[in-house]
Structure formats: C-alpha cells, structure tokens
Amino acid sequence: MGEYAYFQGQFVPIEEAKISIKTHAFLYGTGVFEGIRAYWNEDDQQLYVFRLLEHFQRLERSGRIFMMKSPLTVEEMVEVTVELLRKNQFKTDAYIRPILYKSGTEIGILCNKMPDDFLVFAIPFGAYLDTSKGLSVKVSSWRHLEDNMIPMRAKCNGAYAGAALAKNDAANDGYGEAIYLTSDGHVSEGTGENLFIVRNGKLITSPCTADILEGITRATVVTLAKEELGLEVEERQIDRTELYICDEAFFTGTAAEVSPITSIDHRPVGNGQVGPLSKSLQTLFFDVVKGRNPKYKHWLTPVY
Ligand SMILES: Cc1ncc(COP(=O)(O)O)c(C=O)c1O
C-alpha cells in the first residue's frame, strides 16, 4: 500500500506530487504551512488527530497575512486531511504537513496576481526531540525574525531558513535545541517550539508579541496547567537571565510535544533534573493527545 498526497486538487501517489522548479514558493519561500500530529491508540484501534480544526484555522490566518487564499475552505481542508490519513491507512503515529503556497511559475517577486494552491501530505512519525530526558539547549546568537520582517505569527516557509541556521549551530555545538532572543534581547521561543519557564510554582511564557508562533500546544498546556493542576500562568516578557535561575523550563510544540529542558548555556535548570511540573504536564499532555483522557476528547478527530 503506497502513500498518497493531496496535490493540485486530487489524491495522488506521493512520489507523483511534484512542483516545478520555477514555483514561486520554492524560489522565494512564499508558502505558509502547518505541522499536525495524529496519534495511534492501540486499545481503541483508532488514529486521533490533535486539534485539527485549530491548525487549519491558523493556516487560514497565516494565509491572510500573506494575502494567500486556499482553494479549499477550512472545513474542506479538514475533510481532505482525514481522507488522506484514511487512504494512507496509518496505524502508527503520524505527522501531517499542509502547505498553502504561491504556485505560479512566472519569474519575479511580485505575486499578488499569482494563483495560490494547497497541498497536504502525511508521514509516519515518532519523537522529534527526546522527551524522555531533559534537553541541553543554548541561547542562539541568531536573533529571531521580527513581526515586521517575516512575521512568525504566520507560519511561513521562508522563515525557517533562519531556524535552520540557529538549529544547525546548536546541534554543531552539541546542544539539543536553540532559544531565540528578540531584537530587544528578550526571550522569544525555540526554532520550532514555544518556551515555558517555572518560577516559584508559576508558569511563565513569552507573550504573543515576542515574535513567537501562537502555538497550539502552548495554548493546550496553558489550559491543562490551569484546569488540571490549578497553576497560575503568566504571559510576560522574559529576561535572558531568568533562564539561568528558573526552577524548570520546557518547550512545547506539535513536533516537540512537551520537552523538558535541564540545562541552558551550561547552567543546570533547577537541580538539573526534569522538573515535577514539566513531568506532570507532559504526562497530562500525552494522555490527552493519545485519547486516554475523555475530558479532552473534543480536541481529537478520529480518522477511522
Ligand atoms: C517557530 C515555532 N514556534 C512554536 C511552534 C509550536 O507551535 P504548535 O504548538 O502550534 O505546533 C512551532 C511549531 O509549529 C514553531 O515552528
């Protein structure tokens, strides 16, 4: 059974889904995309897609920033994605990558009269970061993009060229991930993750105005922290040195899930072990996404 993609309005074998080398999005990075996870639940014999509608609502908003419009409505993109997963017959965790992009092939940057197209493919996928133990991370020397450069609020393909620089640098230096600062030197986020710290039992995360992607996992963790653990959550500017004195720190993201951090710039976070709140939130998160917590089943779309 081969894998399929939804491409140019139809389902095709994934190896046939090919764009022209003249495609505007390939030449200039003019696409917006999503990363979505689906989790296989062996007991239920079911594949659950996590917060599918919210991802396509964000894709639509990203498109609005770049004045791109999908040929499919949000609801149709949801339907096509569920159909794609069914066609692929995944019985394993999977990662879904929809892209809304400038599909014209005329050379030149101007693209406001150029057609937009939508595609989606999915692959079997395991862990992106090692969530079982803590990550060692570094503050990147690469500053994050600002809202009036390439806005991170829109999940734009081109923005991730910068992420590749920061991520590669971190990896070359033996770190698991990089933390970006904003142009004014405050904590922003990871290359593909939002960031939380814990100080005095309170969760703190950078505000949406700190050049971050408005993360769906971030919102999920805020809800779980408040509803399930009764924690206070503060969205405020974070100084770099707070990273060095916080009690706990962790990343959140669709790919990264809830990834505890145990060292930042060679300073141990807390006692250098995965913190208790990070662990509790991670456990809660995995129970929710894997369909083991009935209270949050409304966040899951069953595929079969
Ligand atoms: C730059 C960046 N920040 C944060 C996130 C986390 O967002 P979400 O939880 O919606 O996946 C991602 C991943 O999509 C990302 O690429």
Side-chain angles (χ1 to χ4, degrees), residues 64-231:
R64 252 193 276 163
I65 293 173
F66 280 89
M67 296 206 248
M68 282 188 247
K69 193 165 165 43
S70 172
L72 302 187
T73 64
V74 165
E75 291 71 24
E76 286 167 342
M77 289 189 282
V78 165
E79 271 170 39
V80 157
T81 301
V82 172
E83 178 66 25
L84 174 75
L85 292 168
R86 260 189 225 128
K87 271 183 136 8
N88 280 336
Q89 294 184 13
F90 287 140
K91 293 197 166 176
T92 176
D93 295 348
Y95 187 77
I96 303 149
R97 172 55 56 86
I99 310 178
L100 167 60
Y101 65 105
K102 280 287 165 198
S103 58
T105 52
E106 259 170 59
I107 297 299
I109 293 166
L110 184 68
C111 57
N112 57 6
K113 303 243 164 45
M114 212 173 246
D116 304 320
D117 209 350
F118 167 78
L119 63 82
V120 53
F121 66 90
I123 52 166
F125 202 62
Y128 175 69
L129 298 177
D130 185 355
T131 55
S132 62
K133 50 186 198 304
L135 293 166
S136 281
V137 308
K138 72 177 275 191
V139 171
S140 185
S141 60
W142 296 97
R143 290 295 161 94
H144 211 2
L145 291 160
E146 287 180 38
D147 194 52
N148 54 8
M149 294 175 176
I150 302 178
M152 287 310 297
R153 180 169 287 104
K155 199 169 160 52
C156 171
N157 295 60
Y160 287 78
L165 289 172
K167 180 99 185 173
N168 286 347
D169 260 14
N172 291 342
D173 290 346
Y175 295 94
E177 187 47 277
I179 295 174
Y180 278 124
L181 301 181
T182 59
S183 298
D184 69 357
H186 291 99
V187 173
S188 181
E189 61 176 355
T191 60
E193 308 86 11
N194 294 119
L195 178 71
F196 285 82
I197 60 170
V198 178
R199 293 193 68 186
N200 303 319
K202 194 194 287 179
L203 281 194
I204 307 170
T205 192
S206 305
C208 291
T209 49
D211 300 326
I212 65 167
L213 179 71
E214 296 178 359
I216 290 168
T217 320
R218 175 181 179 271
T220 301
V221 163
V222 168
T223 302
L224 295 178
K226 289 182 181 168
E227 298 261 323
E228 303 304 316
L229 301 180
L231 295 176

Side-chain angles (χ1 to χ4, degrees), residues 40-56:
W40 174 246
N41 182 314
E42 188 66 32
D43 293 339
D44 296 2
Q45 289 291 298
Q46 186 56 270
L47 186 64
Y48 292 117
V49 193
F50 188 58
R51 305 197 78 167
L52 184 56
L53 180 65
E54 288 91 331
H55 278 283
F56 282 113

